């Protein structure tokens, strides 16, 4: 089992920055890919960013490329999402997710590929 706890959400004006954190406990390690998803009100959950178990490979949704950066600190079992140049359309509940993957596999981008989920942290961006 993997437990994930997100933090760092909040309210920010457009153009501002936030850093989300995800603390992982339980079964962790280099075979566990980590990702951030988000779900806006009335919309489906969507992939935001993901990283491989070692952090060597990353993937981003087109809508956040160049503005968001995912990183992980394996020693601390932490994953971060640095969000810059925030836009009102980034407003959503952000979830941390984890998946046990084969070593060397691509970063998973589908929500059905992730086995473990946190409770989410709300990000609100005002115009």
């Amino acid at each position: 089992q993997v437990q994930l706890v997100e933090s760092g959400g909040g309210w920010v004006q457009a153009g501002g920055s936030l850093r989300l954190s995800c603390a992982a406990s339980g079964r962790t390690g280099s075979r566990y890919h980590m990702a951030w998803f988000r779900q806006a009100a009335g919309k489906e959950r969507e992939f935001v960013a993901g990283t491989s178990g070692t952090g060597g490979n990353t993937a981003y949704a087109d809508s956040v490329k160049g503005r968001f950066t995912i990183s992980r600190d394996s020693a601390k079992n932490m994953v971060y999402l640095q969000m810059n140049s925030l836009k009102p359309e980034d407003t959503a509940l952000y979830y941390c997710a984890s998946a046990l993957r084969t070593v060397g596999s691509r970063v998973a981008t589908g929500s059905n590929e992730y086995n473990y989920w946190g409770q989410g942290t709300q990000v609100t961006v005002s115009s």
Side-chain angles (χ1 to χ4, degrees):
Q1 283 285 39
V2 178
Q3 294 78 42
L4 304 171
V5 178
E6 304 95 336
S7 62
W11 178 89
V12 66
Q13 287 190 322
S17 299
L18 282 175
R19 189 176 85 151
L20 305 184
S21 299
C22 174
S25 60
R27 292 188 175 186
T28 60
S30 61
R31 291 184 62 195
Y32 284 85
H33 287 202
M34 302 293 294
W36 290 94
F37 286 77
R38 67 186 181 187
Q39 187 167 17
K43 295 187 177 181
E44 294 192 356
R45 191 173 299 189
E46 64 175 357
F47 174 80
V48 175
T51 178
S52 61
T54 61
N57 293 316
T58 57
Y60 294 92
D62 288 342
S63 59
V64 306
K65 280 182 182 176
R67 299 188 299 122
F68 291 10
T69 303
I70 188 171
S71 61
R72 69 187 297 167
D73 184 335
S74 297
K76 296 181 179 179
N77 289 332
M78 296 290 296
V79 177
Y80 306 99
L81 185 67
Q82 178 65 43
M83 306 186 295
N84 298 327
S85 302
L86 283 161
K87 304 175 182 180
E89 50 263 45
D90 294 317
T91 295
L93 188 60
Y94 283 72
Y95 296 93
C96 179
S98 176
L100 179 62
R101 301 278 288 174
T102 302
V103 174
S105 61
R106 63 167 180 81
V107 176
T109 60
S111 60
N112 60 351
E113 297 180 275
Y114 286 85
N115 313 101
Y116 305 101
W117 295 84
Q119 293 300 307
T121 184
Q122 179 67 37
V123 172
T124 302
V125 184
S126 65
S127 57

